[in-house]
Amino acid sequence: GAVVSQHPSWVICKSGTSVKIECRSLDFQATTMFWYRQFPKQSLMLMATSNEGSKATYEQGVEKDKFLINHASLTLSTLTVTSAHPEDSSFYICSARDLASITNEQFFGPGTRLTVL
Amino acid sequence: AQSVAQPEDQVNVAEGNPLTVKCTYSVSGNPYLFWYVQYPNRGLQFLLKYITGDNLVKGSYGFEAEFNKSQTSFHLKKPSALVSDSALYFCAVRDDQYNFNKFYFGSGTKLNVKP
C-alpha cells in the first residue's frame, strides 16, 4: 500500500520554541492532507485539513496562529507548533488522501510524539 | 453529523478465544466504515473497511467485521485471539458526502489478550 512518512518521529523542545513536523506521501500525490492530535489513551481529534496551494481549514477550537499548516506541494504538508507549551505535548498524526484514488483512499503516517518541557 | 461509538473502553479475552470489539455508527448518507489498530507510540494500521457490497468484510491479520444496517453496527471480530492482537482499536467513519473525506474516530477500545 501507499506510504506516508512523518518527520521527526519524536521531538523534545523547550517551552516557547517552535517545532515543525513534516508529513510526506512517498509514492502518491495528495492534494489533501489531514492533521490529527491524540492525547494519551484518547482518540484522534482532527485539527485541520490541509489543501495543496491554499489555506488550511481548521476545526473549531483549534488556533490557526498556533498551529501553522503549509501544504506547498502535492507530497508535503508541514505543521508548525508555534510558541509551544507543555499542554501542546501530544501525538500528532497526519493522513494523506490519494489524488488518483477514485475511492478517496487515505493513508496515515506513523505519528510524531511531541514533548514540550 | 457523522459519528461512531465504541461502547467498551476495554475488552479482555483469553488467547485462542473469539473476540469482538463493538462499534455503532450514525451517518448521513452512505456509511464508509473502517477499523484501525494502533500499537503504543505508533500510527494507525489499517485493518479493514466497508464501502459497499458484502456485509461481511475480511481484513488483515485474520480480522473481519460485519456491517449491520438495521442495527447500525460494524463490530470487529476474530475467531481466535492472539496475545499479539493486544492493542488499541479504533472504529471510524469517513464522510465522503459532506466533509471532504474527513475521518471521525470512535473513542477506541483497548484489547487485552491474555495467554
Side-chain angles (χ1 to χ4, degrees):
Chain A
V3 178
V4 175
S5 70
Q6 285 185 236
H7 178 79
S9 55
W10 59 270
V11 57
I12 301 173
C13 69
K14 294 182 179 180
S15 185
T17 61
S18 295
V19 174
K20 180 185 285 188
I21 302 170
E22 293 184 349
C23 177
R24 291 182 185 272
S25 56
L26 297 186
D27 48 5
F28 65 98
Q29 293 182 324
T31 52
T32 304
M33 293 184 175
F34 302 87
W35 287 96
Y36 299 83
R37 67 186 299 182
Q38 183 183 28
F39 291 108
K41 299 183 181 181
Q42 293 189 27
S43 187
L44 283 76
M45 298 300 295
L46 181 65
M47 299 175 65
T49 303
S50 170
N51 299 300
E52 188 266 336
S54 64
K55 291 183 178 180
T57 304
Y58 290 82
E59 296 298 300
Q60 193 172 10
V62 177
E63 299 176 61
K64 62 180 180 181
D65 294 329
K66 181 169 186 61
F67 298 100
L68 300 179
I69 292 173
N70 185 283
H71 193 154
S73 78
L74 289 174
T75 58
L76 173 64
S77 175
T78 61
L79 168 68
T80 302
V81 183
T82 62
S83 187
H85 291 284
E87 58 265 30
D88 299 323
S89 298
S90 189
F91 195 53
Y92 292 87
I93 299 176
C94 73
S95 71
R97 188 179 72 190
D98 187 350
L99 175 63
S101 170
I102 60 174
T103 56
N104 299 312
E105 295 297 328
Q106 283 186 44
F107 303 95
F108 286 84
T112 297
R113 172 73 61 191
L114 170 63
T115 301
V116 185
L117 303 177
Chain B
Q2 324 290 25
S3 66
V4 292
Q6 293 180 244
E8 304 155 315
D9 290 336
Q10 185 167 302
V11 169
N12 299 312
V13 64
E15 187 175 32
N17 284 358
L19 69 87
T20 298
V21 182
K22 296 180 180 178
C23 173
T24 58
Y25 65 89
S26 175
V27 301
S28 302
N30 295 322
Y32 297 113
L33 298 163
F34 297 75
W35 276 102
Y36 288 89
V37 60
Q38 185 181 37
Y39 292 94
N41 291 311
R42 303 290 293 274
L44 300 181
Q45 292 183 31
F46 170 79
L47 284 178
L48 51 81
K49 66 182 178 183
Y50 173 84
I51 301 294
T52 186
D54 201 354
N55 289 344
L56 184 62
V57 180
K58 294 188 181 295
S60 306
Y61 313 118
F63 284 93
E64 59 187 28
E66 185 168 10
F67 171 68
N68 188 316
K69 188 174 182 178
S70 62
Q71 297 185 5
T72 62
S73 66
F74 190 57
H75 302 330
L76 181 70
K77 299 182 179 183
K78 187 174 183 180
S80 179
L82 300 173
V83 173
S84 57
D85 293 330
S86 298
L88 188 58
Y89 289 80
F90 289 102
C91 181
V93 60
R94 195 181 75 196
D95 188 348
D96 283 13
Q97 189 166 358
Y98 299 108
N99 281 298
F100 309 103
N101 314 126
K102 290 180 184 177
F103 272 92
Y104 297 88
F105 287 89
S107 53
T109 299
K110 185 178 181 183
L111 175 65
N112 294 315
V113 182
K114 298 183 178 180

